[in-house]
Amino acid sequence: MDVCVILTYRCNSKCSMCYAWQNPTRTEDEISLDTLKKIPSGIDYLNLTGGEPTLRKDLMEIVDILYPKAMTFEISSNGLLAERLEPVIRKYPCTKIRFSLEGSEPTNSRIRGEKDGYRKKIEGLLRLKALGGEDVGFGAVIQDDNAGELVELFRLSRKYGLEFATSTLHNGFQFHKNDNVPYDRLKVAGHIGDLVTEMLKGFNVKNWFRAYLNLGLMAKVLGQERILKCTAATDFVFVDPWSDVYACNVRPDLKLGNLEVQEWDEIMNGPLAREVRGKVDQCTHNCWMVGSAKAAMRHPRFVKIPRAAPLMWVVYNKLKVTFGGTINFKRYLDYSKVPEDKEVSHRKFFLDENVGRRLRRKDEPHYQGFGEFFNR
């Protein structure tokens, strides 16, 4: 099983596609070290995220607790405080580090509301790599405002020997957003297709399977069904800053329990968990995020190898690209069934904006007032 722990909703970025920064948690309410100790050993993949996890002053203590519990351990950060991750890499060089980088300096600054963020992230990643970091890189949230830069971002990662991950716009409680919709679905999907082809041209096997993951992002952007079934609450769960455990980071109605007051086995094996898994089976969202997609692509028993469908797709299309052919995306995607979004409000940018923040308390209702979190 994979576990994603949202350590905080405090954040020092001001992203247009995520409003966690406008809804920060109080430090005294955030998940405690004692609660984190309840997460069992034997986790396949454990990711620390936010908000911005480097804002936790006890981050190193958290890592000491959780790193030994997982086969793969990741910290997802905006990269503005890379120096706070240097002790982690010195002690645990196998820790996977991913910074958020949305494009060139102007593009990244506009989307993420960060001044000088591009330089800080690249320099920070190279420092972590020089310290011995074995798996460091950056990821982009694909959207209309940066889709045209995807191939160049991938080439940038190869230039510096960094990993490159992708996701796309989603609505969900973690992001405190319900209006993340592409403006031009076909155009964005086309740019992702260019990235898929570029990834298959090289010799890095990991990038070949990332190409398949990006095929799933094309389906997401085009408003179509997931290319693999969701396995939320079975293969992965999310823990929010108040210790609430959810099947995923989209639907707040898929709550499994609270790790502060319950034990892990009670949460994962109780009657509520069975009820939630039933709801997952009936879910009509077309989410395709790294966490859920990766779990769906993985063999259910042998977690180091992929399922048959991704494997066959990769082999076939890698050979096709290698011998000068082109990927027939129409074989996998139906371009005639793209939703016509009647009203798509353009996301606001906050680089030079002063926006108030509303502290969210542990003892108040959570994730209300945003409307329905739906993805199509």
Side-chain angles (χ1 to χ4, degrees):
M1 169 171 275
D2 296 354
V3 178
C4 183
V5 182
I6 307 168
L7 290 176
T8 178
Y9 283 137
R10 292 176 289 130
C11 190
N12 51 343
S13 296
K14 296 187 292 183
C15 296
S16 63
M17 66 287 189
C18 175
Y19 285 175
W21 59 275
Q22 294 185 27
N23 299 273
T25 40
R26 302 190 308 168
T27 55
E28 61 267 32
D29 288 343
E30 291 168 355
I31 189 167
S32 69
L33 300 179
D34 285 339
T35 300
L36 290 170
K37 290 176 182 177
K38 293 184 177 182
I39 296 176
S41 297
I43 300 299
D44 295 319
Y45 200 106
L46 201 155
N47 183 17
L48 301 183
T49 185
E52 175 46 45
T54 61
L55 296 181
R56 287 282 300 243
K57 293 182 178 180
D58 55 355
L59 180 62
M60 193 67 229
E61 295 173 84
I62 292 171
V63 174
D64 284 335
I65 291 169
L66 296 179
Y67 181 90
K69 295 177 180 283
M71 290 177 59
T72 301
F73 182 79
E74 176 178 352
I75 301 177
S76 300
S77 168
N78 61 20
L80 298 180
L81 298 170
E83 65 276 5
R84 298 189 181 183
L85 294 170
E86 291 178 13
V88 175
I89 290 298
R90 286 192 181 98
K91 188 171 184 179
Y92 304 111
C94 291
T95 298
K96 181 177 178 179
I97 301 292
R98 292 293 181 270
F99 289 174
S100 299
L101 184 67
E102 307 303 342
S104 61
E105 171 64 47
T107 300
N108 183 76
S109 297
R110 184 170 64 254
I111 292 175
R112 300 192 60 81
E114 301 167 350
K115 293 183 178 179
D116 201 26
Y118 180 95
R119 180 189 62 81
K120 292 177 181 177
K121 295 164 196 280
I122 296 296
E123 290 182 357
L125 287 169
L126 294 179
R127 286 201 313 274
L128 294 177
K129 187 177 180 184
L131 287 171
E134 299 176 12
D135 189 350
V136 298
F138 56 86
V141 179
I142 301 172
Q143 51 199 284
D144 302 78
D145 304 292
N146 69 355
E149 300 182 27
L150 287 176
V151 172
E152 287 306 311
L153 275 174
F154 176 58
R155 290 172 179 167
L156 179 73
S157 72
R158 294 177 65 185
K159 173 184 175 181
Y160 289 117
L162 302 170
E163 303 293 337
F164 180 52
T166 50
S167 59
T168 193
L169 294 171
H170 280 79
N171 296 306
F173 69 76
Q174 182 182 3
F175 317 115
H176 298 73
K177 288 276 282 184
N178 69 347
D179 60 353
N180 278 334
V181 179
Y183 312 144
D184 188 334
R185 292 178 184 265
L186 286 171
K187 186 175 181 180
V188 174
H191 286 304
I192 303 174
D194 294 338
L195 176 63
V196 169
T197 300
E198 189 74 12
M199 286 182 157
L200 288 173
K201 289 179 179 178
F203 299 100
N204 187 322
V205 176
K206 189 184 292 187
N207 284 332
W208 302 348
F209 285 92
R210 285 175 177 150
Y212 181 85
L213 189 147
N214 278 279
L215 177 74
L217 291 180
M218 293 177 70
K220 165 72 182 84
V221 167
L222 292 172
Q224 298 176 10
E225 299 298 323
R226 290 171 56 104
I227 60 176
L228 292 173
K229 182 178 175 59
C230 179
T231 56
T234 300
D235 290 336
F236 64 92
V237 294
F238 281 74
V239 185
D240 82 354
W242 298 292
S243 307
D244 289 326
V245 182
Y246 293 88
C248 67
N249 58 343
V250 171
R251 292 177 51 179
D253 62 309
L254 299 182
K255 182 177 173 180
L256 296 158
N258 182 280
L259 193 57
E260 182 178 354
V261 298
Q262 295 174 275
E263 296 303 318
W264 185 264
D265 286 345
E266 177 188 359
I267 293 171
M268 297 308 302
N269 299 313
L272 182 57
R274 291 191 290 273
E275 178 184 332
V276 167
R277 291 182 185 117
K279 291 181 179 179
V280 170
D281 285 339
Q282 301 300 316
C283 183
T284 57
H285 289 252
N286 73 336
C287 309
W288 188 257
M289 288 179 255
V290 174
S292 60
K294 175 166 47 59
M297 288 170 60
R298 199 170 56 206
H299 193 281
R301 290 183 59 192
F302 307 104
V303 297
K304 291 295 185 180
I305 63 174
R307 292 177 184 265
L311 179 60
M312 295 303 294
W313 183 94
V314 166
V315 170
Y316 176 78
N317 286 288
K318 170 58 183 172
L319 288 172
K320 195 170 185 180
V321 169
T322 299
F323 289 103
T326 57
I327 301 171
N328 180 13
F329 288 109
K330 291 182 179 180
R331 180 178 178 180
Y332 311 103
L333 305 165
D334 188 348
Y335 289 86
S336 68
K337 295 183 179 179
V338 179
E340 294 184 8
D341 303 300
K342 296 180 180 179
E343 294 183 10
V344 179
S345 58
H346 281 235
R347 288 169 293 281
K348 185 176 181 180
F349 300 122
F350 298 95
L351 178 61
D352 297 312
E353 298 281 334
N354 291 318
V355 180
R357 291 164 167 79
R358 184 187 182 281
L359 277 173
R360 300 289 177 173
R361 301 174 57 93
K362 185 177 182 178
D363 58 359
E364 67 182 11
H366 302 146
Y367 313 122
Q368 298 184 3
F370 300 100
E372 183 185 11
F373 298 105
F374 190 74
N375 292 281
R376 174 54 60 199

